[in-house]
Amino acid sequence: MPRLLDRVALVTGASRGIGEAVALRLAEEGANVAVNYTSDRSRPLAEKVKEQIEAMGRKAIIVQADVGSKAQVEAMFQQIREQLGDVEILVNNAGIAPFEPFLKVTEETWDRTYNTNVKSIFLCSQLAAKSMIEKRYGKIVNVLSTASLVVTSPVIPHYQSSKAAANMLTKGMAIELGKYNINVNAVGPSTVDTDMCTDFLADPAIRAQEIEANPMKRLGTARQIGDAVVFLASEEAMQVNGHLLMVDGGLTVKAAQPDDHMEH
Ligand code: NAP
């Protein structure tokens, strides 16, 4: 029996990368899925995700919206309500990581990063919570990062702080919404080979370093993040609330020491 049969899910930033994999995993578990994207050039990608979901016998729609814009988020929820029903599973996945060192970060980059990575969670979750409260059922899963907990790169302090803020937002929402039978949790991926990381993983030395640094000696995959989201969206996780489930191979629990040093 699929675990999420006929549930209505919204995955933000589902045209590619981790969001695409999450949307497909939710559909595999029986959910009908709204596939959000923002750029015109990604429309064909979003269409492809929709087609794959429909091929599984599930319903899917694509919804274009900048999740950092209140007006666009409101229009997106209206479209989903009319075409699929109220959102019961919300996956706040959309995110950006503009690589700029602290001294070069502009106000525009700062605002865009926070709008996409933090404000979007506030806007989408507040709207979703309204109907979830009425139904006394809801699952909100935020896609965070190792950067929510530790400094992973010297060139994305704005990204790291946004992901740390989103971690506390997750916990605050979990405390307030739990009494309505709404679970709010998060997943924390380490490096996954998506468009977000294409540039730096293209350098073979950096790719090798990323793999070597991870206790599991491999990169994570988008599907693994989808598996974790499915768990948190399922009734198997009904008593899990306010939790950040790291899917990082143990990276964030490892001290910054070479492996041979740790073995002695
Ligand atoms: P990605 O491949 O760059 O895809 C980003 C997705 O977000 C795209 O679907 C994009 O839509 C969408 N998006 C960006 N800005 C948006 C906005 N304002 N409104 C709506 N959608 C927007 O990224 P990814 O690697 O899959 O990352 C997904 C999430 O995982 C992010 O929150 C990221 O921080 C997190 N994460 C990623 C990694 C990693 O190594 N990849 C590690 C840790 C955490 P368009 O296609 O329309 O541009």
Side-chain angles (χ1 to χ4, degrees):
M1 173 82 170
R3 285 182 280 178
L4 306 175
L5 191 60
D6 291 331
R7 292 295 183 192
V8 176
L10 163 62
V11 183
T12 68
S15 50
R16 50 203 171 93
I18 291 172
E20 173 185 5
V22 169
L24 295 176
R25 278 297 287 116
L26 292 173
E28 280 174 21
E29 296 291 341
N32 299 321
V33 186
V35 175
N36 162 253
Y37 67 103
T38 190
S39 64
D40 289 337
R41 71 177 145 62
S42 285
R43 188 182 177 92
L45 299 177
E47 289 279 8
K48 234 174 112 186
V49 178
K50 173 180 182 278
E51 283 164 19
Q52 289 179 77
I53 292 170
E54 287 171 341
M56 295 177 205
R58 309 312 312 162
K59 290 185 204 154
I61 61 169
I62 63 168
V63 269
Q64 184 171 20
D66 173 353
V67 288
S69 154
K70 184 170 191 242
Q72 291 186 39
V73 166
E74 284 174 350
M76 172 169 70
F77 272 78
Q78 182 64 26
Q79 187 188 338
I80 297 169
R81 190 172 304 115
E82 287 167 8
Q83 295 182 18
L84 286 182
D86 287 322
V87 172
E88 298 170 301
I89 299 168
L90 167 64
V91 183
N92 288 305
N93 164 77
I96 56 168
F99 280 72
E100 286 170 24
F102 173 69
L103 291 175
K104 294 208 167 140
V105 173
T106 60
E107 186 179 6
E108 190 276 330
T109 297
W110 180 275
D111 288 345
R112 197 158 44 89
T113 303
Y114 268 71
N115 285 346
T116 311
N117 297 359
V118 190
K119 188 179 173 193
S120 62
I121 298 179
F122 154 63
L123 291 174
C124 291
S125 303
Q126 200 180 52
L127 268 187
K130 285 185 182 154
S131 56
M132 289 175 174
I133 288 169
E134 278 169 24
K135 291 188 177 175
R136 292 293 194 272
Y137 173 90
K139 309 287 180 188
I140 298 175
V141 184
N142 300 326
V143 179
L144 305 184
S145 171
T146 51
S148 298
L149 300 177
V150 297
V151 172
T152 50
S153 157
V155 290
I156 44 172
H158 46 298
Y159 174 80
Q160 286 151 354
S161 61
S162 74
K163 289 294 182 180
N167 188 22
M168 287 312 290
L169 182 56
T170 303
K171 293 176 195 303
M173 291 195 301
I175 300 305
E176 188 169 335
L177 299 179
K179 60 179 169 290
Y180 304 111
N181 193 34
I182 300 171
N183 299 69
V184 187
N185 289 293
V187 293
S190 52
T191 303
V192 176
D193 194 352
T194 65
D195 293 345
M196 184 176 274
C197 301
T198 302
D199 287 348
F200 79 90
L201 287 178
D203 180 334
I206 292 183
R207 177 180 280 269
Q209 275 170 21
E210 285 283 329
I211 292 169
E212 184 52 33
N214 194 291
M216 301 302 291
K217 305 301 174 199
R218 59 185 175 232
L219 298 179
T221 67
R223 192 178 166 87
Q224 290 161 355
I225 310 308
D227 289 338
V229 170
V230 163
F231 168 66
L232 292 172
S234 74
E235 288 315 287
E236 288 158 22
M238 71 185 296
Q239 202 65 359
V240 181
N241 194 29
H243 185 67
L244 168 55
L245 173 56
M246 297 311 295
V247 188
D248 68 350
L251 186 66
T252 49
V253 295
K254 181 187 166 202
Q257 288 163 331
D259 283 356
D260 56 354
H261 180 83
M262 294 190 75
E263 278 160 18
H264 294 109

